[in-house]
Amino acid sequence: MKQLSKPKWLIGLLLFVVLVWWFSLPKALFSDPISCVVNDQDGNLLGARIADDGQWRFPSADEVPGKFEQAILHFEDEYFYFHTGFNPISMAKAFYSNLTSSTKRGGSTLTQQVIRLSRKNKQRSYTEKIIELVQATRLELKLSKKEILLHYSAYAPFGGNVVGLEAASWRYFGISAKQLTWGQASALAVLPNSPSIIYPGKNDKQFLNKRNALLKKLVSKEVIDEETYQLSLLESLPSQPLPLPNQAFHFVDFVCQQDQEDVMASSIQYQLQQKANQITDKHQRALQKNNIYNLSLIVVENKTRKVLAYVGNTSTAKSPFRYVDMMQAKRSTGSTLKPFLYAAALEKSQILPTSLLQDVPVSFNGYRPKNFNEKFHGLVPAHQALSRSLNVPFVNVLQDYGLPLFYENLQDAGLQQINKGIDHYGLTLILGGAEVSLWELTQAFVNFKDVYSTYVTSSSQYSTGEIQSLSINASVSNTKQELDYKPSNWHASSVYFTLKAMMELERPEDFNFGAILGDDQQIAWKTGTSYGFKDAWSIGMNEEYTVGVWVGNADTEGRPNLTGIKAAAPIMFDVFKELPKSRDWLLPPYDDVKQVNLCPFSGMPKSKACDESELLWIPSHSKALRQCTYHTKVSVDETERYEVKNNCYPLSKMKKKSFVELSPIEKHFTQTMGFETPPPLHPNCSEVTDEQELMEFIFPRKNERILLPKSFDGTNEEVVLQLAHSKNTEVHWYIDERYLTTTTELHETSIHLQPGRYQISVVDEKGHFLKQDVLVEKTM
């Protein structure tokens, strides 16, 4: 029995040894933090960020470049593909040399070196050598030779804080490991054995001798030919680490903050990114003469939503806050939200593209919006109000459309940074009262256009799609990064008419856009300028691309001429010059539009008073709007020089003629539309006595509060009173029945007022009387 127990004991011991060997490796050899590496869509390095432990350690590549593989094998482990983790002959030679010579010699294979690296180079001892040997043989069973070599290439030290072949290639030669020459590959192959020799000015001769000895071995083994050997000897050694590529500094930061794994194959186009950098640098040098230092730019491929170029901020040394990514910074929107309101109003049948909008002074609880040029135009077609970016008409449209509904529309469009509630924004929402980032605003415009593009490319019935976010990944389009969006509720026709109006945007005379792009290229674009000239925006799109630009100062300092049209639009059009041209892309979505007879003057459905009509396209979902209210049939005499009435002119000689009749305030500001108004009343007929038809207060409006403006010395400035009168007459002004002044033609006067309630009244030379109560308050 005792003789039988001995084999069992041996078997048990052997099984124990096998189990120890089998489980000798940790689950993961390496858990070191990895540098974030970002490439463009073709694999070119855009930039990288150092690992959390302060090391440049790039993710492991898919394969080891052939030149480095040959160099490292002939320098470290020539029999790598033949041993099982250790080389007994090399170990014996090393052992004998270490006993008989003062020069230490290593006998470790590359597999053993991988184990040593994974164990953080613990102090060398025979015990540690045994552990390395055991784990090396186990690693040979677990991984292929190629995988072991990849581990070595990724985690070998190359001097300083450079770890791994790919990081070393970029830091020492400024190229990818795949592009290494034989001389460069040999120089890097000898570094892990003596990483300290890389320091500039130190051990240069030792470094050179090691590399050249390796090159000599490669030529002797016929790995390289004699010519390659001689040329490789002439190659210089790296002296000090080089800076990594920095073509998209802020984009790399943005991507690395997304917690991406391994190498990020981004959607950036390297050449376009370079062009974008050159364009922004050129414009920033000009802008900084006006103390404007920061700008950001983005280019998006519409179909895939891939971001092709990303300039988060200008990078010149004179640019304050140049490290701040202004692409992601929230800034005042200016007028950039007007296209969304225009489309929403079309969707609700509140307006038609040609219907007239009022552009006259208005007041909403003390809020008096003004146009950018501080002029009023009376009546303006809706599409021109958008193309000319007039403020007052859009405040009126928003008031009628409903602030809560428009707020929800913006949320649906993807502008979820506008999230402080309607009470916070009020009607200023449409003029820059909200803040969004260029990233989110550009995304919203891409999604907006996609409603139209989806329709025209669909062969079946149109249906709205889900709003998507921009993609920064080259391999995945329409990738959602952070936000979940609701489906868009716009019809294709509403978007079409909006884009059509955006193509009519007036271009400044002092910038020749036609010379840059060609007058035949179709670009729908919108600019924006925030209050105080703090933010300038320009966003444009053609069929294939959308370009967004923001210009300003990161510290919110305003500057003269910091406007969308002067500061941002030239940058946007310079970028479009570098993109493929897109022409004749905006075609009507014929299944979603219809033709109706509209009054040529008002743009509204023709009424009986309209003598003429025009067949025009409108959205098919538009419900019946009220007919034209501007035309009226007026009785005139035979000469058509006078208006007449039944009680003062023979009925048989009367004519009926169509005229445009405007309110006094509309007539006062509407001067360039070429319409015909009713002639004066015949001398034999009695004058009109309805004062409301004759005159109207421009300021103050009915039920308006007057907020006393403060001058620089703290005193109250004068209040300007204005009146529109349809006749050329004198007007006498009174306040609380106290005479103020008399005006002719331009009916305007000013007066110092203290807080309180007043009654302002006017009387013309015919005795027509108009009065209005006002409340005067101090500004806070």
Side-chain angles (χ1 to χ4, degrees), residues 3 86 112 150 153 173 222 243 245 255 265 325 333 355 384 414 448 504 535 573 578 629-630 701 742:
Q3 292 179 348
F86 68 99
Q112 288 174 286
L150 279 172
S153 299
F173 296 110
E222 298 184 351
V255 170
D325 187 356
T333 56
S355 59
Q384 288 187 19
F448 181 72
E504 301 167 4
D535 304 277
F573 280 101
E578 302 297 331
T629 58
Y630 292 97
R701 303 292 286 165
T742 298

Side-chain angles (χ1 to χ4, degrees), residues 214 304 361 389 418 475 560 683 717:
L214 175 56
T304 63
S389 196
I418 301 178
S475 60
E717 293 186 351

Side-chain angles (χ1 to χ4, degrees), residues 167-405:
S169 297
W170 282 107
R171 292 292 280 161
Y172 295 136
F173 296 110
I175 56 176
S176 171
K178 296 178 181 178
Q179 300 171 295
L180 291 172
T181 64
W182 280 107
Q184 293 167 339
S186 297
L188 293 183
V190 303
L191 272 181
N193 183 266
S194 302
S196 60
I197 63 176
I198 190 62
Y199 290 104
K202 180 181 178 183
N203 302 322
D204 289 348
K205 185 176 181 180
Q206 181 185 1
F207 192 4
L208 183 64
N209 290 339
K210 278 178 171 285
R211 186 204 65 173
N212 290 350
L214 175 56
L215 287 171
K216 187 174 182 179
K217 185 175 184 180
L218 291 175
V219 73
S220 67
K221 296 287 186 178
E222 298 184 351
V223 176
I224 59 176
D225 56 31
E226 182 65 28
E227 182 181 3
T228 302
Y229 169 65
Q230 295 296 334
L231 290 174
S232 298
L233 290 175
L234 298 176
E235 292 186 42
S236 60
L237 294 172
S239 57
Q240 59 184 3
L242 302 173
L244 292 173
N246 197 27
Q247 290 296 324
F249 174 83
H250 297 93
F251 178 76
V252 172
D253 271 354
F254 176 65
V255 170
C256 290
Q257 291 169 5
Q258 308 299 309
D259 294 325
Q260 301 289 341
E261 296 181 0
D262 297 329
V263 178
M264 174 64 178
S266 76
S267 57
I268 297 294
Q269 287 184 356
Y270 196 87
Q271 290 184 337
L272 182 60
Q273 181 68 36
Q274 285 184 314
K275 289 288 186 181
N277 292 340
Q278 294 168 5
I279 291 170
T280 53
D281 286 346
K282 178 189 74 173
H283 282 275
Q284 199 279 326
R285 286 193 294 272
L287 289 166
Q288 71 182 19
K289 296 176 182 178
N290 188 24
N291 294 327
I292 302 169
Y293 294 104
N294 306 114
L295 64 87
S296 55
L297 179 150
I298 186 171
V299 181
V300 179
E301 186 178 48
N302 295 331
K303 185 176 181 180
T304 63
R305 290 181 176 80
K306 291 179 180 177
V307 177
L308 305 182
Y310 183 117
V311 179
N313 205 338
T314 46
S315 58
T316 60
K318 293 184 179 180
S319 175
F321 305 101
R322 61 186 179 275
Y323 296 113
V324 178
D325 187 356
M326 297 307 297
M327 182 76 67
Q328 306 299 330
K330 293 172 62 176
R331 304 291 295 214
S332 169
T333 56
S335 296
T336 57
L337 301 183
K338 288 175 181 174
F340 299 102
L341 179 58
Y342 184 84
L346 288 173
E347 198 71 31
K348 195 179 177 183
S349 301
Q350 179 180 334
I351 63 171
L352 293 177
T354 53
S355 59
L356 293 177
L357 302 179
Q358 271 197 343
D359 183 22
V360 300
V362 292
S363 176
F364 302 95
N365 296 322
Y367 172 54
R368 300 181 65 204
K370 295 181 180 180
N371 294 318
F372 184 78
N373 60 5
E374 298 191 352
K375 296 180 181 179
F376 298 96
H377 308 85
L379 294 171
V380 182
H383 67 95
Q384 288 187 19
L386 178 58
S387 65
R388 296 163 68 179
S389 196
L390 299 178
N391 293 339
V392 176
F394 275 92
V395 174
N396 288 329
V397 170
L398 179 56
Q399 171 74 4
D400 294 339
Y401 181 80
L403 185 57
L405 182 56

Side-chain angles (χ1 to χ4, degrees), residues 512-643:
N512 191 353
F513 290 115
I516 292 179
L517 298 170
D519 293 327
D520 57 347
Q521 184 171 181
Q522 290 187 330
I523 295 178
W525 59 300
K526 184 72 187 75
T527 60
T529 304
S530 69
Y531 178 77
F533 302 100
K534 297 178 180 180
D535 304 277
W537 302 83
S538 186
I539 296 189
M541 59 188 70
N542 60 18
E543 183 177 16
E544 300 294 335
Y545 305 99
T546 295
V547 178
V549 177
W550 171 88
V551 178
N553 286 312
D555 62 358
T556 71
E557 179 188 359
R559 296 298 304 166
N561 294 320
L562 180 54
T563 65
I565 200 71
K566 291 184 177 181
I571 301 172
M572 181 193 73
F573 280 101
D574 270 355
V575 174
F576 270 114
K577 183 181 178 182
E578 302 297 331
L579 296 171
K581 290 186 177 181
S582 178
R583 304 171 182 172
D584 301 328
W585 61 274
L586 192 62
L587 303 175
Y590 289 108
D591 292 341
D592 198 36
V593 294
K594 62 183 178 183
Q595 284 186 307
V596 295
N597 282 310
L598 300 178
C599 170
F601 173 79
S602 68
M604 301 168 67
K606 180 178 178 295
S607 70
K608 293 181 179 180
C610 300
D611 289 339
E612 299 177 354
S613 66
E614 188 174 2
L615 196 61
L616 296 175
W617 293 101
I618 66 171
S620 61
H621 62 269
S622 293
K623 300 177 183 177
L625 299 180
R626 61 176 181 169
Q627 293 181 334
C628 175
T629 58
Y630 292 97
H631 278 100
T632 182
K633 291 287 187 179
V634 176
S635 297
V636 295
D637 67 348
E638 290 177 309
T639 65
E640 298 184 1
R641 294 172 52 195
Y642 295 102
E643 179 183 354

Side-chain angles (χ1 to χ4, degrees), residues 8-24:
K8 289 183 178 180
W9 176 82
L10 288 174
I11 293 172
L13 179 60
L14 180 61
L15 181 61
F16 174 77
V17 171
V18 170
L19 288 174
V20 170
W21 175 80
W22 183 263
F23 293 103
S24 62

Side-chain angles (χ1 to χ4, degrees), residues 98-136:
N98 293 338
L99 289 177
T100 61
S101 172
S102 60
T103 302
K104 299 297 181 181
R105 173 179 174 177
S108 299
T109 64
L110 285 177
T111 310
Q112 288 174 286
Q113 292 185 49
V114 169
I115 296 299
R116 185 183 307 135
L117 291 171
S118 73
R119 294 176 60 78
K120 307 304 180 189
N121 289 314
K122 292 184 178 181
Q123 186 174 5
R124 295 190 179 186
S125 65
Y126 288 110
T127 301
E128 187 64 27
K129 278 287 187 181
I130 293 172
I131 294 174
E132 288 176 6
L133 189 149
V134 171
Q135 290 189 344

